[in-house]
Amino acid sequence: MRLSDLGEIKTIELIRRITTTYPILLNANRNIEVGIGDDACIIKDGTIITTDAYIEDIHFSLDYFSFYEIGQRV
């Protein structure tokens, strides 16, 4: 199965289920202040972990944006 087959919401729910089900991951979850939900997670020490996609023809178009403008947005 590919990520594109699931879509964003189902992928987030799958990650949430995996990280709250397996005992080895429950220890890691104790260090999380704000967990999965949007595009970031906050660890209790203040570290913020984030990731997101910026895809041509979905989030931007090279017909309208320069590489510099795209870089600024990312």
Side-chain angles (χ1 to χ4, degrees):
M1 178 172 292
R2 297 176 56 152
L3 178 61
S4 60
D5 296 334
L6 282 177
E8 182 178 4
I9 301 302
K10 287 183 181 179
T11 300
I12 291 170
E13 186 53 41
L14 177 63
I15 294 168
R16 185 188 325 269
R17 261 198 326 259
I18 290 169
T19 58
T20 57
T21 302
Y22 293 97
I24 194 165
L25 296 174
L26 293 177
N27 253 352
N29 287 341
R30 290 189 186 118
N31 292 320
I32 297 174
E33 185 73 29
V34 178
I36 191 169
D38 193 9
D39 293 327
C41 167
I42 302 174
I43 308 298
K44 287 188 179 182
D45 70 2
T47 302
I48 299 173
I49 301 170
T50 185
T51 185
D52 205 351
Y54 202 58
I55 302 168
E56 183 179 6
D57 295 327
I58 294 175
H59 299 106
F60 68 92
S61 171
L62 288 172
D63 294 336
Y64 305 106
F65 295 103
S66 69
F67 288 121
Y68 179 81
E69 292 168 317
I70 294 166
Q72 281 187 312
R73 290 171 177 254
V74 172

